[in-house]
Amino acid sequence: QAFFRSPPTKVSIHSPASDENQRNRTTLSVQVPHDAGEALQDVVLVQISGTEAWDWGRRNPQLYRGPYGLHQRGQEGLATASLSASGRQLTIRLDPPIEPGQQVNVIFRGITPEAQIYMWTTRFVPAGTNPLASVGPTLRQHVYRSDTFH
């Protein structure tokens, strides 16, 4: 059975467009600890707050390794994403898996939803047979009302 000896705990979400209804580049960053024991295969986010489902975009995400950078470019074909029917559960498959000691950044392009606080639970699935998922921290993202006056 595959499991993390030391599961990922350093995970963050970056969303530079913080006003509602803007084109957005949402980046999920996950650091796999040096002593994880297994590579990271899947990341699962479940949205637990926000009346509207977060827009992850229609295209598969881009990916890059190393520290987060606002203008960093990602590669295509290294990650796939699937959404549940409700749009609340996002599963990211990393192929190839991310080895211990590396940080992965997964880029999504969508539109920011309506103004409120959005939160997600995180789960990390190791590569290997019969994997045992580890629960990670809760992520939080604020979206603000865009007050435009004409």
Side-chain angles (χ1 to χ4, degrees):
Q1 185 171 30
F3 65 93
F4 290 116
R5 279 199 302 273
S6 181
T9 56
K10 291 185 178 170
V11 56
S12 53
I13 192 164
H14 311 273
S15 186
S18 56
D19 288 348
E20 63 187 355
N21 302 317
Q22 287 185 322
R23 287 180 55 186
N24 194 16
R25 170 188 157 130
T26 303
T27 304
L28 179 70
S29 300
V30 180
Q31 187 163 1
V32 183
H34 287 281
D35 57 352
E38 296 286 349
L40 176 63
Q41 182 80 74
D42 296 329
V43 178
V44 181
L45 300 184
V46 177
Q47 185 177 328
I48 55 172
S49 76
T51 51
E52 202 177 318
W54 191 265
D55 180 8
W56 298 102
R58 292 201 168 94
R59 296 185 1 215
N60 268 324
Q62 295 179 324
L63 180 150
Y64 66 93
R65 290 178 173 83
Y68 167 75
L70 177 59
H71 301 291
Q72 205 44 298
R73 295 176 92 87
Q75 280 186 282
E76 296 191 10
L78 300 175
T80 55
S82 57
L83 270 176
S84 64
S86 69
R88 299 273 169 167
Q89 179 171 307
L90 174 73
T91 302
I92 304 162
R93 166 60 53 117
L94 304 164
D95 189 14
I98 306 304
E99 295 298 325
Q102 293 188 327
Q103 176 169 317
V104 64
N105 305 279
V106 187
I107 304 167
F108 297 88
R109 296 184 188 279
I111 305 290
T112 51
E114 67 181 40
Q116 54 190 282
I117 297 170
Y118 293 84
M119 292 172 63
W120 298 266
T121 59
T122 58
R123 247 182 9 249
F124 303 105
V125 182
T129 53
N130 197 12
L132 185 63
S134 293
V135 175
T138 299
L139 301 176
R140 178 185 185 106
Q141 182 66 48
H142 288 255
V143 175
Y144 301 97
R145 192 166 311 290
S146 52
D147 292 323
T148 42
F149 299 97
H150 297 285

